[in-house]
Amino acid sequence: MSDESDAPYEAILRAVGDSSLTATVLLRTQQARTERLFQLCTATPDFLAGIDTIIVLFTGLAEVTVSPAFRSLLERAAAESIRAIEGLLADDQQTVNDTARVMMEIEVLLQEWTVDLDRMTKWQDMEEERRHQVFGFGKVLQRLKQRQGVDDQLVMPERQEYHVHSMTLHPTHEPSDFLPPDPVWMTSEVLIHMERVKNAAIALVLVDDKRVGVDPDSPPRGWRPDVWGRLCGHYVGLRDQALNEILAEKGMVMTPRVPIPKGQSRIVPADQAEDTDGAADHSYEGE
């Protein structure tokens, strides 16, 4: 081994050295994790505490709910949150996109259950193949769209975002640099999906129904909304500021996160935007 102070994982990779391309890539990724974690914890000392507390919320709610369906989604959200952080540290955009897709699927399921708890029971009792047909992301989002009275000619913002996160799912010859390899952008993307699942989970709890079985007045012990709010708000705020500045240089603005006509973009010339005041709507408070 090269250095007795090295962790065994790195020591093995260093011992192999340049003779192995795989070892070289793995060592580079390990070093990237260390550097990214140092950056995040230096910039925001409460970074790990913030991630801890959102995991505490998901797992804490999972422990007390009487609904197997709600519990399974909360446990999956906790697992995907950790996987997203691993992807973030490794600068692995594919993993970040994959976890975002799963978190969006969890989010819309929770949103539908909040307005129709019978759907929660149906999801739980349905055979897997049929469940995929009835409760796929697009199907659930379409039902939410109809329930909200959104015109059929408009596209829900969630559909466009889900498409973005799906762009690298299958092999393609097209470039896939739509998510800037910038720590702030990637971190904000990871955190915003945790935030939206958090909002959807809390909304379901607040229904205060025995089928959910969670006391809305007794949040999980260890849940610190102030710590989480500061962390998520910090990175989403930085992203919004950077995005607004980039767009402003081009005379463009980002319109609010609402349904828009098919084929249109949320990025429009500043003089064509209505009621945006030149500000992007990416509030970490959720929808």
Side-chain angles (χ1 to χ4, degrees):
M1 300 297 177
S2 61
D3 186 346
E4 294 182 357
S5 67
D6 282 350
Y9 180 81
E10 287 194 35
I12 293 172
L13 297 177
R14 292 182 186 281
V16 175
D18 296 337
S19 62
S20 169
L21 175 61
T22 302
T24 300
V25 173
L26 291 176
L27 182 58
R28 186 184 307 129
T29 301
Q30 181 69 359
Q31 292 170 337
R33 288 192 183 99
T34 301
E35 293 172 3
R36 178 65 58 83
L37 184 59
F38 178 78
Q39 292 173 353
L40 292 169
C41 290
T42 300
T44 46
D46 279 346
F47 178 77
L48 292 177
I51 303 303
D52 287 346
T53 197
I54 196 72
I55 300 299
V56 164
L57 178 66
F58 293 151
T59 57
L61 292 176
E63 289 173 358
V64 297
T65 182
V66 299
S67 166
F70 190 27
R71 181 182 307 114
S72 66
L73 290 193
L74 289 165
E75 291 174 344
R76 182 65 184 271
E80 291 299 325
S81 295
I82 294 297
R83 191 161 74 98
I85 295 301
E86 291 178 338
L88 169 65
L89 296 182
D91 204 19
D92 183 352
Q93 293 192 28
Q94 183 63 56
T95 294
V96 170
N97 282 320
D98 289 347
T99 58
R101 283 165 48 91
V102 176
M103 295 294 269
M104 292 190 74
E105 291 172 10
I106 293 172
E107 177 192 358
V108 297
L109 283 171
L110 293 175
Q111 288 175 339
E112 182 173 47
W113 298 353
T114 298
V115 296
D116 186 355
L117 272 171
D118 289 338
R119 289 281 181 181
M120 182 173 69
T121 303
K122 292 178 181 178
W123 182 89
Q124 175 182 313
D125 297 338
M126 199 170 284
E127 293 184 357
E128 183 175 3
E129 182 175 352
R130 180 61 177 160
R131 185 187 302 122
H132 288 314
Q133 295 173 348
V134 176
F135 289 98
F137 179 82
K139 295 290 187 180
V140 178
L141 187 61
Q142 181 63 24
R143 290 195 294 268
L144 288 172
K145 177 180 178 180
Q146 293 172 347
R147 181 176 284 272
Q148 294 171 16
V150 176
D151 189 282
D152 192 53
Q153 296 304 308
L154 301 180
V155 179
M156 299 289 278
E158 292 89 346
R159 182 173 292 279
Q160 294 179 316
E161 293 164 6
Y162 192 80
H163 172 70
V164 169
H165 289 302
S166 303
M167 290 174 64
T168 60
L169 184 62
H170 303 293
T172 176
H173 67 284
E174 299 293 340
S176 58
D177 57 352
F178 57 89
L179 183 61
D182 177 89
V184 169
W185 286 75
M186 290 187 71
T187 303
S188 66
E189 190 66 24
V190 167
L191 298 182
I192 197 64
H193 286 294
M194 295 182 195
E195 168 71 5
R196 290 173 180 163
V197 170
K198 181 216 78 175
N199 289 337
I202 290 177
L204 182 56
V205 168
L206 292 177
V207 172
D208 197 12
D209 189 282
K210 64 181 181 180
R211 288 170 289 181
V212 178
V214 178
D215 183 355
D217 296 321
S218 298
R221 187 174 183 178
W223 162 234
R224 301 172 63 190
D226 56 331
V227 174
W228 171 251
R230 285 197 304 271
L231 177 65
C232 189
H234 174 74
Y235 280 101
V236 175
L238 288 177
R239 181 189 66 175
D240 289 352
Q241 180 181 355
L243 176 60
N244 289 336
E245 291 175 354
I246 292 172
L247 293 178
E249 292 178 356
K250 301 178 180 180
M252 309 290 282
V253 296
M254 176 78 81
T255 58
R257 188 175 182 262
V258 297
I260 60 176
K262 296 178 180 179
Q264 291 192 12
S265 171
R266 287 181 58 199
I267 299 176
V268 300
D271 57 2
Q272 294 181 17
E274 297 180 359
D275 301 324
T276 63
D277 295 326
D281 180 16
H282 303 296
S283 172
Y284 75 89
E285 292 294 337
E287 315 323 317

